[in-house]
Structure formats: C-alpha cells, structure tokens
Amino acid sequence: MYKLIIKINVVGKLGRVWIAYMPTQLVWDKRFFVVFGQNASRCSKQVASPKSHGGEKLIRCLVIGSACSHSHPLPYLEKKKVYFLARSISLLSSLSFPLALSSPTNHLYSLAAMSIFEYNGSALVAMVGKNCFAIASDRRLGVQLQTVATDFQRVFKIHDRLYIGLSGLATDAQTMYQKLVFRHKLYQLREERDMKPQTFASLVSALLYEKRFGPFFCQPVIAGLGDNDEPFICTMDCLGAKELAKDFVVSGTASESLYGACESMYKPDMEPEELFETISQALLSSVDRDCLSGWGGYVLLVYAALLTPTEVQEKILKGRMD
Amino acid sequence: MGDSQYSFSLTTFSPSGKLVQIEHALMAVGSGQTSLGIKATNGVVVATEKKLPSILVDETSVQKIQLMTPNIGVVYSGMGPDSRVLVRKSRKQAQQYFRLYKETIPVTQLVRETATVMQEFTQSGGVRPFGVSLLIAGYDDNGPQLYQVDPSGSYFSWKASAMGKNVSNAKTFLEKRYTEVMELEDAIHTAILTLKEGFEGQISGKNIEIGIIGTDRQFRVLSSSEIDDYLAEVE
C-alpha cells in the first residue's frame, strides 16, 4: 500500500473508499489507486516514497476518479473500472479505516491512521479475588485524538452475577452488548435460570465467530460468579478466541501497560477491599501512559459471602483528567 | 359425523375444533407396541415390548430404545421410522446447543425442541404428523425427568406413564403400584410387572427392552441377560 497525506476534494464515496477529483490529471497507477491533482510530479514522488512525509504509518487507499459532474471525465478510465478498483481496494483494506474528517470547506484531511481498535480508545481490566471479582474500565470516549465524552460506560450488567466489559470500537461494543442482552433474556425465559459465566463466554465466542469475515471490532472481558460462588474471568479477541485466566485479564488500547501493572500488583486470594485498591491502581497507572484512554475510571466489585446476598460496589475513580 | 369431511386435510380444523389427522395419528400410536416409563427418586426407567414380526428376524439388530445424548434416552410407541427421524433431529439439536453454550442441553430444552419439530409437522403443507409418541427419560441438574411427547407436539412431565396398545391397563396398574419414594431398582421391577400384565406369550430378555438412567447420568440399555436376571427376581 502506498502511504501519503493528501488533500483532496471529496465528491463521492463507494463503500469505504473515497472518490474525489482534483483539477489536473496525474498518475495512473494500475495497482492501487489513481492520483489526480495539482503538483502532479511532487505527488507522484510522494506516492513512490512513503518516507518523504516523516515516516508516518498510514494506511490509506484512495481512488480518485471522475465521479463528479463538473469534473473532466478521464479519457482512459471508465466508471466501471473505477468502481471495480474501488471495490477491490475496499476489500483489501477492510481493516483499515479511512479517517475522514470533513471540514466545512469540503476538504478532506486524512490523518494519522490508527487501527480500528484505537479509534475510540478504551481500557478494561478484570481481576479475581477471594470469592469476589472486580471489573474496571476507563471513562473516555474519543474520536481519534479528540475526547468526546468523559462518562462513557463500557462495563455492562448481564445479570446480578455476570458482567461484561467491551473494548474497541464503541459502536460495536454497544451493539454487541445489545445482542448479548437479547440472547440472555431469551435464555432466561426459555430455561428459567440465569446463564452461567462459562456458558455466557461460549455464547459470546460463538457470536463473534459468526462474523468471522466481517468482525465486530470489540474485545470483550467477561467476569462473573459461577457455581459455588467461584469467580470466573475471561477475555477473547474480536474473533472469539477465548482466553481463560485465573488471575486477571486486560483489554483495550492500554492493554500493554495494564498487563505490566497487573502482573506486578496482583496477588492471589485478595480480599474485596484489597482487590479494589489493586485494580484501581493498576487501571489508573496504565491509562496515564495511554493517550487514548483515561479521564477517570469506573470499578465494579462483586463479592459473594456466605449467608449474605451478593454485594455489588460501584465506584468512580478520579485520575488524571486528560 | 361431520368430522369425516375434514379428516383428510391436516391443516383444516373440523367444526368440532379438532384436527382429525392428529386424532388419527394418536390412533396409530395406540395400535403400536406398549411402552412405559417410571421416574424414581434416583433415576428413570423406560421399557417396551419388542415383538418382532417373525422368529427369523435377528433380534440383536433391533433396538427400540435409543440415546439422544449420553444422559437422555427415548423410547417410542407407533411407527418406528418416524421415531428415527425425530431422534436424528433431536440429536442434532442437542449438539448444536452444546456447540453454542458448551453446556449439555437440559432435558426440558431438548423435549421442547423435539415437541416443536412435531408441532411444525402439524401446521405445514404437504406433510403429515408423526405417528409416534415418545417417552423421553433423562437426568440433568434438575434431577431425573420423564416426558411424553405426542404427535400434536404437546408434552407433559410424568411420574409414570404408558402408551401403545395396552395403555389403559398399564396406566391403571402403574397408578396402583407407583409410590413417590420408589428407587430405581423398584422401578425396574414395577416396569417389568406392568409389561407382563398385557404381554401375550412368554416374556423373556429377548422380547422386551429396558433402558435406565441413574445418578451416574449415563443412559444405558440393559442387555438381554441382565433383563433375564431381573425377570428371575420378579418371579
């Protein structure tokens, strides 16, 4: 893929690919895209050498053809070819994201490309203690580098003893949650009982794998109390590969820092208060190192004691608000 | 009888509010070989006559009682081939459930799915109802369970039930003999006695079939020598 930053006039869109037109004709590259515009020779050099713009990692594919009525129709490009090219490129780039921020002047700035999983930013962690578990998330919702909300909910309740956190693309997280609630409610009505955490994890995995070739871009973290009040946590990737853990699981843009923090702070068989402290510290210190997540934290602790009903504590944490 | 005009089309109600085809299906069941099931405190037993059309038939090749899952078994009265279709579908549904939830299917859910299949065949075009009633016996987290599913798709949970030719005598016998505190061994004896009630000819391990499931949650069909042992105890 060629990598470049280019200012173009948007005139149309086919799927995930922008079709635009620039005043003068330039280069026809049969493999990936057509570049049109001013400063043709410079652009073509840029196309050829990605290093010229500071080595930024961009994945962009642009097909620029004459889709606009006031443009000059290209003599050697028929509309069908353009469409075809657009489709094939959009398939190739199915996981890359054309980051389009249209400004009022109708110019399109394609910015630093992020992976789809980093579009909104998230941090999730779940930990196991003694007859208790805790699940925590950050509260930032962003659109790339701009923060849009500071109270975004990522941890959702399925039933009293089962919670799921969803990181990754926020829209997919919300849709996944709605689908799971739907399935669980039907399960409850049919089987007249709540789903066990292990069963729920299998269900999530199956649902994610159903979309194997056009996945939901979210990574769930599941935490619940199973039989005999045994805490259960697991995570999986966006395609449903389950990872069961006995101690902690992490997910989101801050996952690398979270792994480090949890690994060093975690002790087995912690009491609820200690677990709460540990998970809060791990979360806050990790999101401080990640620009895409943060703006406080939300911790949910579920504790099962003999002879008392399951206790649930929810706390909002105040960390670095940036 | 005004009903007879409506007796050929499955999907048409008769004026008396019956679907006559289903009534006829129940007649087919009623003329099938007797089968029964008894739920004990620690298990379930199902039993059936295995009358073969001729002495030349290899009785070891015939098995009326079948497994739907390792912990759920089924016996039928009525048309054997119809029951094979149902068992096949139910097995598949049980495995689909496991694939989705990684949990073995509860007995009620499997019964419900089987009953749904049977009901679909009473409301579709170009099909006829199944000519079998099934007795589904299983052991899961809710303990031992026994369900009867009819050609109409209705299902009931029973403590003890019978179906087929000798149904009224068998049920009366069971009503008298059944106790809530029956254990599996007593249930097997009662089942044999009930079958003996209406049995024509000499009862032996070769012309009845018994399936049991206990607390080990493994459904198994008794071998003919085991049945002979039980028969000896009963006499």
Side-chain angles (χ1 to χ4, degrees), chain A residues 183 187 190-191 193 195-196 198-199 202-203 206 242, chain B residues 97 99-106 109 112-113 141:
Chain A
R183 297 295 292 255
Y187 182 95
R190 271 199 311 261
E191 306 221 3
R193 59 178 174 137
M195 239 192 233
K196 288 193 259 200
Q198 294 87 346
T199 315
S202 303
L203 174 66
K242 264 191 285 189
Chain B
Y97 184 99
R99 193 161 168 243
L100 185 59
Y101 296 114
K102 298 287 183 297
E103 205 183 271
T104 49
I105 189 168
Q109 301 305 309
R112 188 198 302 257
E113 306 264 349
D141 289 337

Side-chain angles (χ1 to χ4, degrees), chain A residues 64-241:
Chain A
I64 307 176
S66 58
C68 171
S69 57
H70 59 263
S71 64
H72 306 296
L74 305 159
Y76 47 86
L77 258 191
E78 302 127 26
K79 277 202 178 136
K80 245 194 218 171
K81 277 192 199 156
V82 174
Y83 178 75
F84 236 23
L85 197 59
R87 291 295 293 158
S88 58
I89 290 178
S90 72
L91 281 170
L92 285 169
S93 67
S94 57
L95 281 183
S96 80
F97 204 66
L99 303 168
L101 296 173
S102 337
S103 65
T105 54
N106 207 30
H107 284 176
L108 194 76
Y109 289 90
S110 26
L111 288 188
M114 295 176 179
S115 124
I116 182 83
F117 293 101
E118 294 162 12
Y119 186 70
N120 292 126
S122 53
L124 272 173
V125 56
M127 273 192 191
V128 163
K130 195 161 180 186
N131 289 335
C132 60
F133 69 84
I135 182 166
S137 77
D138 72 322
R139 305 192 80 211
R140 177 185 178 272
L141 174 73
V143 171
Q144 287 174 255
L145 301 176
Q146 184 187 28
T147 303
V148 165
T150 56
D151 57 357
F152 190 68
Q153 187 190 8
R154 287 204 170 82
V155 174
F156 303 101
K157 180 167 116 157
I158 301 290
H159 63 75
D160 285 338
R161 291 155 64 101
L162 180 58
Y163 290 81
I164 182 166
L166 290 152
S167 69
L169 196 62
T171 175
D172 282 352
Q174 286 178 334
T175 305
M176 231 8 241
Y177 165 65
Q178 286 159 8
K179 285 172 78 113
L180 289 167
V181 158
F182 165 77
R183 297 295 292 255
H184 182 254
K185 281 186 180 165
L186 281 180
Y187 182 95
Q188 268 179 327
L189 287 168
R190 271 199 311 261
E191 306 221 3
E192 293 169 359
R193 59 178 174 137
D194 284 336
M195 239 192 233
K196 288 193 259 200
Q198 294 87 346
T199 315
F200 184 72
S202 303
L203 174 66
V204 177
S205 174
L207 280 179
L208 288 171
Y209 194 82
E210 268 173 28
K211 301 273 182 215
R212 168 69 175 78
F213 298 105
F216 283 110
F217 297 119
C218 62
Q219 283 138 330
V221 163
I222 296 162
L225 286 174
D227 293 329
N228 306 321
D229 293 341
E230 190 74 34
F232 170 86
I233 49 169
C234 93
T235 185
M236 52 192 85
D237 68 357
C238 65
L239 294 177

Side-chain angles (χ1 to χ4, degrees), chain B residues 162-173:
Chain B
M163 23 188 232
K165 249 184 262 177
N166 212 18
V167 59
S168 42
N169 285 344
K171 277 202 172 158
T172 326
F173 190 87

Side-chain angles (χ1 to χ4, degrees), chain B residues 114-134:
Chain B
T114 312
T116 306
V117 169
M118 292 173 90
Q119 192 279 340
E120 276 163 8
F121 279 69
T122 67
Q123 210 175 11
S124 309
V127 296
R128 61 162 177 82
F130 287 98
V132 279
S133 275
L134 299 173

